[in-house]
């Protein structure tokens, strides 16, 4: 936990960007009957029943200190999709970065060694040399600032029924363009000192005793 918190409070360095990565999903659902639009004296109404059309996976990367965000939609969430996202970061979004520091959770598909499954050893090592992975603790996904952007995406774009995958991709792409024009960075306030005070139950007893002595 402290590894991630300390990383968040380092000064901005364009040669060593900090990227938060997370995944979510969107169930594709459509109306069985056309909803009734709002009119004077009546709110908009829609039938609670819906048609299912599968599920799409959302892969979101964001650079909290600049406000940049990128979203990719896929049918599946496997190691190969994760590798694709990391390669895009290295080759397309940050080709000049010396080290790309990625914060993510401990999902079983997030394995750096998997680069060797998809690339020859020299290429795999070359990619890994450009990355530095920082993992949030189990049940500590709230430490990943990508969750904040996913929450914004869901409120502003995904808070309604979407039936077709093509519509979902178009809507998310439009949201991404708007979001990136705002340059809204994330002002992360929670620090290591805060964690040691407010989450002391997560620390060994020795840490708690030290805090009591300092008090």
């Amino acid at each position: 936990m402290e590894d991630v918190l300390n990383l968040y409070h380092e000064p901005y360095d364009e040669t060593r960007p900090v990227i938060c990565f997370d995944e979510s999903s969107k169930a594709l659902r459509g109306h069985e009957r056309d909803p009734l639009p709002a009119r004077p004296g009546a709110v908009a109404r829609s039938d609670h029943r819906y048609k299912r059309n599968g599920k799409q996976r959302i892969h979101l990367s964001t650079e909290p200190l600049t406000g940049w965000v990128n979203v990719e939609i896929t049918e599946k969430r496997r190691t190969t999709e994760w590798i694709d996202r990391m390669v895009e970061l290295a080759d397309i979004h940050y080709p000049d970065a010396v080290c790309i520091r990625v914060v993510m959770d401990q999902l079983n598909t997030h394995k750096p060694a998997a680069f060797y499954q998809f690339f020859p050893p020299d290429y795999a090592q070359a990619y890994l040399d450009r990355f530095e992975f920082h993992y949030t603790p189990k049940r500590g996904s709230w430490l990943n600032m990508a969750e904040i952007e996913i929450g914004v995406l869901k409120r502003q774009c995904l808070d309604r029924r979407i039936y077709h995958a093509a519509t979902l991709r178009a809507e998310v792409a439009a949201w991404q363009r708007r979001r990136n024009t705002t340059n809204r960075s994330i002002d992360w306030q929670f620090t290591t000192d805060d964690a040691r005070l407010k989450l002391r139950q997560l620390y060994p007893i020795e840490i708690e005793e030290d805090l009591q002595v300092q008090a």
Side-chain angles (χ1 to χ4, degrees):
M1 176 174 62
E2 292 192 2
D3 170 60
V4 173
L5 292 175
N6 291 336
L7 180 67
Y8 285 166
H9 288 89
E10 288 191 14
Y12 175 69
D13 184 349
E14 64 179 6
T15 67
R16 294 169 54 82
V18 174
I19 308 299
C20 294
F21 175 82
D22 201 8
E23 296 150 319
S24 186
S25 62
K26 171 66 176 178
L28 299 178
R29 296 171 178 172
H31 299 287
E32 284 192 356
R33 295 190 293 178
D34 291 338
L36 299 176
R39 57 183 176 81
V43 299
R45 290 180 291 175
S46 60
D47 198 318
H48 70 278
R49 290 173 294 184
Y50 53 82
K51 297 185 293 183
R52 300 176 184 270
N53 193 28
K55 182 182 293 186
Q56 295 288 293
R57 307 295 181 171
I58 300 169
H59 309 259
L60 185 144
S61 302
T62 184
E63 186 178 8
L65 292 180
T66 66
W68 173 82
V69 63
N70 181 74
V71 186
E72 298 292 339
I73 307 296
T74 65
E75 291 185 359
K76 298 180 179 181
R77 185 184 65 181
R78 303 166 297 182
T79 300
T80 183
E81 279 78 28
W82 177 75
I83 291 289
D84 287 343
R85 304 291 79 77
M86 297 302 105
V87 169
E88 288 171 359
L89 287 175
D91 293 349
I92 299 176
H93 302 300
Y94 296 92
D96 300 322
V98 174
C99 178
I100 304 170
R101 297 175 288 177
V102 182
V103 176
M104 57 188 175
D105 60 29
Q106 300 184 44
L107 191 68
N108 60 355
T109 58
H110 300 166
K111 297 178 179 179
F115 275 88
Y116 288 94
Q117 300 175 18
F118 296 91
F119 298 102
D122 289 347
Y123 283 92
Q125 187 61 58
Y127 275 118
L128 290 174
D129 286 344
R130 297 190 56 210
F131 281 103
E132 184 179 285
F133 297 109
H134 299 258
Y135 294 94
T136 58
K138 293 181 179 180
R139 292 182 289 277
S141 61
W142 58 272
L143 289 166
N144 189 343
M145 284 192 271
E147 284 201 352
I148 297 174
E149 284 296 325
I150 288 178
V152 175
L153 171 64
K154 289 183 176 181
R155 292 193 301 272
Q156 296 182 348
C157 182
L158 306 181
D159 60 344
R160 63 192 186 283
R161 293 176 184 173
I162 299 177
Y163 187 66
H164 296 290
T167 302
L168 175 65
R169 291 191 178 93
E171 293 287 337
V172 169
W175 174 87
Q176 177 182 300
R177 288 193 296 270
R178 292 194 302 270
R179 189 70 176 168
N180 281 331
T181 61
T182 63
N183 297 319
R184 291 187 178 179
S185 60
I186 300 176
D187 184 15
W188 185 265
Q189 297 290 323
F190 197 74
T191 67
T192 297
D193 290 339
D194 293 329
R196 292 177 180 178
L197 287 173
K198 299 178 181 180
L199 304 176
R200 65 176 61 185
Q201 71 276 11
L202 302 180
Y203 286 85
I205 188 65
E206 291 83 359
I207 298 296
E208 185 172 347
E209 291 175 349
D210 288 344
L211 288 172
Q212 293 174 351
V213 170
Q214 293 175 9

